[in-house]
Amino acid sequence: MRSDPMKSAAPPAAARRLAVVGTAGHIDHGKTALVRRLTGVDTDRLPEEKKRGISIDLGFAPLVTPAGVRLGLVDVPGHERFVKNMLAGVGGIDLVLLVIAADEGVMPQTREHFSIVKLLGVARGVIVLTKRDLVDDDWLALVSRDVRALVAGTFLEHAPIVPFSAVTGAGTAELLAALDEQLAQRTEHRVEDAMRLPIDRVFTVEGFGTVVTGTLWRGRARTGDVLELLPESREVRVRRVQVHGETMDEAFAGQRTALALHGVERDQVTRGDWLVAPGSLRPSRVLDVRFELLPDLPREWKADTRVRFHLGASEIIGRLSLLGPAARGALAPGGSALAQLRLERPAVAARADRFVIRSYSPSRTVGGGSVIEPVAERRRRSDVDGLDALELHESGSLEARLMEKLAGVAKPTSTEQLAQGVGEAVPAVTAALESLVRHGSAVSPTPGRWLGDTAWHEARDAIERAVREYAEQHPSRYGVMKGELKSGLKPTLDGGLFDLAFASLLADRELEQTGERVRPGGLPWEPPAATLALLEKLERLLEEGGFQVPENDAWQKALGTGAAEAAGLGFFLGRLVRVNAELTYTSGQIERLRTLVAGWFAGGHDALSVGDFRGLTGASRKYGVPLLEHCDRVGWTVRVGDERRNA
Ligand SMILES: Nc1nc2c(ncn2[C@@H]2O[C@H](COP(=O)(O)OP(=O)(O)OP(=O)(O)O)[C@@H](O)[C@H]2O)c(=O)[nH]1
Ligand SMILES: [Mg+2]
């Protein structure tokens, strides 16, 4: 069920004018006051927030910048106990407002929040020195210098620093201008990718049931869309889409989005769950990652440690085990290592997702990193096998990563499966695979399926070899039966791949097929003279007694070794005919039989009995019955009671 396409779809141009901006900074530094000054929205809505005068959970407010960019502002709490909530809000933001009170300067959560946005790979930001009204110019200059030192060598190195006062409004215009200037340089949202939204709030709305909100990370969400709720893997349908309280037909990546869902109860969803395009992501408790330890930690990091893993709006407890050389020692501050996360609950991750790691207790941010393999196999820490592949998967080109996925897979894999395996969108993966095919590294034996070049050639070689060997071992047979060939190769060759490789060998004339028999292409077939001689001898034996032929075991004994071979050749050449399990005739005898039967009916007879048949052919009942049944089978006669009629 899709909404009217004429009504929906703000063009992608409109989607380009969307962004999500998050605050960050120490408690009481004026984040909420700043958001209120810019938007008029008080994001401290909870009674406890009002009572204590601090933010506890996330707050949201819309803002249209002077340049017309529609922003969703996410206001985060600064208190060290609520960093967890802060983390749930900053995933997916385009820009950070690093808020530092001019009177207090850089404080512990200034550093921690700054570390978090760095670890999450937030690409741009504006530094706001709030409470400008409380300090003089000299002090402001001093604090500015401190801040420059803090951000030196980071993504905020050249970020504008805007002095601001929520009380007087000083700096508002400069702040908005700085926002627009920074947003103009940001990378575009992946509107066409598979939809993905981390859920940061869940509530119910009278008449609409369960509503979830989050920053739409990728893709679009439309009324009527069927989505998958993960990690539960529950199918849900979008009943209504809202952006900042306004009902829309469609929301795009880069928007704060509220979705009313059909198919799920309020208590079946929690912060940290995900909504994704069905089948696009798989939950897993085991992930392979690149882990980076913060440089300002006071001590080394142990190789196997209980941690809190933060991705999107989720916090999951688990163990982080360093892999490879680091597994035997510890990681020094500022270092990085391949690592495996083994979590208590499944995470929903994609390759290259950035995450944050906090120590279990006391909770503090210690590092983070990026996901390499979102659905990994458990491995022992000391196990170094496959670490090369993991490194390749981390930083290799898309082509190299695809080749790595194709290697060792003995049947064609779909584009979708490969895209999931390498964690990239289908169009990019298709293009890379096509380029691999052009360079001869991969093949597409059927549209939309792919195979490494090696596996493909191995499959073709295996078939060709089997056909050749059969032809050599059985020179008197035209070739191997196709079914026998396929089942013989089955243990090592996937049936679907056999069909594709077989068809391509026929098309290339590497093989020739006659009826069900297959032999090497371009190799003229000549049955061995000895077998032919034996066949002629058999034909003479069969014809000696008119229609009263010797039974199969009789002539087999008479001919000795090679009898079966000779008979097989006779059947293949059409010189012998099997009438029943005991009786074999030559094609000449069967031809004479046909002439006699046709003559009988042509002579004015209506019916042919077994007695008549004996008179006609001189064959006793023992031969007459099977021969007449043969006539029925091939359609020369029709049986009516005990008699035959002309067909
Ligand atoms: N004089 C002055 N006071 C300010 C300014 N901005 C905020 N304040 C005051 O500082 C206190 C804290 O402001 P908030 O905006 O709640 O601080 P916050 O950063 O949101 O705090 P948390 O969310 O708890 O981390 C409040 O009493 C504000 O009135 C400012 O620019 N000038
Ligand atoms: Mg606040």
Side-chain angles (χ1 to χ4, degrees):
M1 220 187 70
R2 283 276 149 85
S3 55
D4 180 356
M6 299 302 290
K7 252 182 33 189
S8 79
R16 277 202 288 277
R17 306 180 67 78
L18 302 168
V20 178
V21 170
T23 61
H26 196 71
I27 184 165
D28 254 357
H29 276 200
K31 299 179 289 299
T32 302
L34 179 152
V35 170
R36 189 169 48 211
R37 183 84 206 190
L38 293 184
T39 67
V41 177
D42 182 4
T43 54
D44 283 348
R45 329 152 263 127
L46 303 173
E48 205 194 335
E49 290 178 321
K50 296 238 185 282
K51 199 176 96 210
R52 293 169 66 181
I54 60 165
S55 302
I56 294 172
D57 211 341
L58 301 169
F60 305 96
L63 173 69
V64 180
T65 70
V69 181
R70 297 165 73 90
L71 293 187
L73 276 173
V74 181
D75 182 33
V76 307
H79 195 294
E80 65 175 317
R81 275 191 46 216
F82 307 129
V83 173
K84 173 182 161 165
N85 294 342
M86 178 269 182
L87 270 157
V90 288
I93 62 173
D94 299 285
L95 181 146
V96 63
L97 290 174
L98 184 61
V99 172
I100 302 165
D103 57 341
E104 269 196 342
V106 173
M107 295 292 282
Q109 268 63 53
T110 314
R111 293 181 190 280
E112 185 168 16
H113 283 198
F114 180 47
S115 293
I116 286 170
V117 293
K118 267 191 297 188
L119 288 167
L120 291 178
V122 174
R124 16 201 107 255
V126 174
I127 300 161
V128 193
L129 298 182
T130 52
K131 310 198 184 181
R132 168 68 181 99
D133 53 297
L134 297 184
V135 298
D136 60 25
D137 291 354
D138 290 346
W139 187 258
L140 189 73
L142 201 71
V143 173
S144 299
R145 272 206 300 281
D146 277 0
V147 171
R148 278 286 172 232
L150 173 74
V151 300
T154 74
F155 75 101
L156 287 186
E157 177 151 32
H158 303 294
I161 298 184
V162 182
F164 174 85
S165 169
V167 171
T168 67
T172 305
E174 290 82 352
L175 175 53
L176 290 171
L179 266 176
D180 269 330
E181 180 205 304
Q182 291 297 311
L183 288 170
Q185 303 163 28
R186 78 188 194 281
T187 47
E188 279 182 24
H189 287 286
R190 292 155 71 180
V191 170
E192 302 310 330
D193 283 5
M195 188 274 191
R196 186 177 183 202
L197 175 140
I199 295 171
D200 52 36
R201 275 188 305 169
V202 192
F203 46 89
T204 46
V205 173
E206 190 68 31
F208 283 95
T210 309
V211 174
V212 302
T213 72
T215 298
L216 193 46
W217 277 20
R218 288 193 323 213
R220 317 163 168 229
R222 276 167 284 220
T223 315
D225 276 357
V226 171
L227 297 172
E228 192 176 357
L229 179 67
L230 290 175
E232 284 279 286
S233 197
R234 185 187 296 277
E235 189 181 286
V236 297
R237 196 166 50 74
V238 177
R239 298 171 84 166
R240 188 166 72 155
V241 180
Q242 279 203 339
V243 175
H244 295 299
E246 225 182 295
T247 299
M248 318 283 254
D249 290 316
E250 190 167 21
F252 297 96
Q255 273 181 322
R256 288 289 315 165
T257 307
L259 300 174
L261 299 178
H262 189 88
V264 66
E265 299 297 328
R266 158 77 186 82
D267 58 3
Q268 293 168 327
V269 197
T270 48
R271 169 177 284 181
D273 288 352
W274 297 80
L275 280 174
V276 305
S280 58
L281 290 178
R282 273 196 296 150
S284 170
R285 286 170 200 264
V286 185
L287 293 83
D288 289 332
V289 301
R290 164 69 59 181
F291 173 61
E292 302 152 20
L293 196 60
L294 286 178
D296 52 4
L297 277 197
R299 59 176 168 273
E300 289 190 320
W301 181 255
K302 286 203 297 261
D304 186 33
T305 312
R306 192 139 196 244
V307 297
R308 299 168 185 274
F309 168 75
H310 292 265
L311 173 65
S314 71
E315 178 195 37
I316 308 175
I317 291 165
R319 297 199 85 83
L320 180 85
S321 301
L322 304 181
L323 299 173
R328 285 186 294 278
L331 196 59
S336 96
L338 293 174
Q340 181 157 76
L341 276 159
R342 287 192 285 271
L343 304 172
E344 289 176 5
R345 288 179 293 117
V348 178
R351 180 180 174 276
D353 275 357
R354 301 285 313 179
F355 60 85
V356 168
I357 294 289
R358 304 191 81 218
S359 50
Y360 178 69
S361 178
S363 320
R364 68 166 291 197
T365 304
V366 295
S370 59
V371 174
I372 304 174
E373 191 64 75
V375 182
E377 304 282 332
R378 273 184 93 97
R379 62 166 100 224
R380 268 197 297 277
R381 281 196 289 136
S382 54
D383 190 358
V384 290
D385 285 358
L387 289 188
D388 288 353
L390 196 58
E391 263 169 0
L392 176 71
H393 193 43
E394 177 185 21
S395 51
S397 70
L398 179 52
E399 279 83 358
R401 280 152 48 208
L402 285 166
M403 282 311 291
E404 203 271 314
K405 291 282 160 202
L406 288 173
V409 180
K411 58 181 177 182
T413 313
S414 72
T415 318
E416 289 70 22
Q417 230 176 318
L418 286 166
Q420 200 173 55
V422 297
E424 302 283 349
V426 167
V429 168
T430 307
L433 286 164
E434 280 166 357
S435 134
L436 287 172
V437 169
R438 275 197 303 279
H439 292 95
S441 309
V443 286
S444 176
T446 182
R449 291 188 169 266
W450 314 84
L451 191 68
D453 181 55
T454 319
W456 176 245
H457 286 294
E458 276 170 10
R460 283 178 46 120
D461 288 351
I463 296 172
E464 246 197 297
R465 203 178 323 117
V467 171
R468 196 163 9 87
E469 280 169 8
Y470 188 95
E472 280 161 11
Q473 279 162 26
H474 304 282
S476 64
R477 300 186 199 166
Y478 175 79
V480 59
M481 298 289 283
K482 186 179 169 189
E484 199 181 307
L485 176 68
K486 187 172 176 177
S487 59
L489 289 168
K490 191 140 220 165
T492 51
L493 186 55
D494 165 74
L497 179 55
F498 173 91
D499 293 340
L500 295 167
F502 184 84
S504 89
L505 287 166
L506 277 187
D508 295 348
R509 300 182 186 281
E510 300 288 343
L511 298 182
E512 275 170 26
Q513 186 176 2
T514 300
E516 280 303 295
R517 293 209 176 258
V518 186
R519 61 177 286 99
L523 187 68
W525 178 59
E526 193 130 4
T531 315
L532 271 174
L534 214 52
L535 173 59
E536 277 157 26
K537 188 171 171 198
L538 171 58
E539 286 169 326
R540 282 196 300 278
L541 274 177
L542 293 173
E543 302 216 339
E544 260 167 16
F547 283 100
Q548 309 217 105
V549 293
E551 286 186 12
N552 289 350
D553 31 1
W555 57 253
Q556 270 161 16
K557 209 178 282 164
L559 291 182
T561 28
E565 219 44 59
L569 179 61
F571 290 127
F572 177 72
L573 294 176
R575 283 164 60 170
L576 296 181
V577 177
R578 211 185 304 271
V579 163
N580 72 5
E582 282 89 39
L583 301 176
T584 302
Y585 285 81
T586 68
S587 56
Q589 286 168 307
I590 296 296
E591 205 35 55
R592 281 198 292 290
L593 172 70
R594 177 176 200 170
T595 313
L596 288 172
V597 170
W600 175 264
F601 289 114
H605 296 284
D606 279 346
L608 173 65
S609 69
V610 177
D612 297 334
F613 189 74
R614 181 179 194 145
L616 193 64
T617 62
S620 72
R621 197 179 165 79
K622 177 180 158 192
Y623 302 93
V625 171
L627 283 171
L628 280 169
E629 279 167 359
H630 179 79
C631 292
D632 295 340
R633 244 189 338 265
V634 297
W636 300 335
T637 54
V638 177
R639 181 172 178 166
V640 180
D642 279 343
E643 292 180 342
R644 260 71 188 183
R645 299 278 161 83
N646 197 6

PDB file of all heavy atoms in Angstrom, residues 32 44 55 75, ligand 2:
ATOM      1  N   THR A  32      20.539  23.795  26.422  1.00  0.00           N
ATOM      2  CA  THR A  32      19.086  23.892  26.307  1.00  0.00           C
ATOM      3  C   THR A  32      18.663  25.349  26.119  1.00  0.00           C
ATOM      4  O   THR A  32      17.771  25.655  25.316  1.00  0.00           O
ATOM      5  CB  THR A  32      18.424  23.274  27.553  1.00  0.00           C
ATOM      6  OG1 THR A  32      18.864  21.914  27.657  1.00  0.00           O
ATOM      7  CG2 THR A  32      16.910  23.307  27.462  1.00  0.00           C
ATOM      8  N   ASP A  44      13.570  20.864  27.739  1.00  0.00           N
ATOM      9  CA  ASP A  44      13.483  20.225  29.059  1.00  0.00           C
ATOM     10  C   ASP A  44      12.004  20.084  29.407  1.00  0.00           C
ATOM     11  O   ASP A  44      11.410  20.972  30.018  1.00  0.00           O
ATOM     12  CB  ASP A  44      14.214  21.064  30.131  1.00  0.00           C
ATOM     13  CG  ASP A  44      15.723  20.901  30.051  1.00  0.00           C
ATOM     14  OD1 ASP A  44      16.184  19.978  29.342  1.00  0.00           O
ATOM     15  OD2 ASP A  44      16.435  21.694  30.693  1.00  0.00           O
ATOM     16  N   SER A  55      19.038  18.879  32.060  1.00  0.00           N
ATOM     17  CA  SER A  55      18.455  17.963  31.080  1.00  0.00           C
ATOM     18  C   SER A  55      18.801  16.536  31.483  1.00  0.00           C
ATOM     19  O   SER A  55      19.907  16.265  31.959  1.00  0.00           O
ATOM     20  CB  SER A  55      19.002  18.229  29.682  1.00  0.00           C
ATOM     21  OG  SER A  55      18.746  19.560  29.300  1.00  0.00           O
ATOM     22  N   ASP A  75      18.832  18.131  21.398  1.00  0.00           N
ATOM     23  CA  ASP A  75      19.482  18.687  22.585  1.00  0.00           C
ATOM     24  C   ASP A  75      19.801  17.544  23.545  1.00  0.00           C
ATOM     25  O   ASP A  75      18.927  16.762  23.906  1.00  0.00           O
ATOM     26  CB  ASP A  75      18.546  19.710  23.258  1.00  0.00           C
ATOM     27  CG  ASP A  75      19.203  20.343  24.472  1.00  0.00           C
ATOM     28  OD1 ASP A  75      20.448  20.508  24.455  1.00  0.00           O
ATOM     29  OD2 ASP A  75      18.479  20.660  25.434  1.00  0.00           O
TER      30      ASP A  75
HETATM   31 MG    MG B   2      20.035  20.946  28.840  1.00  0.00          MG
END
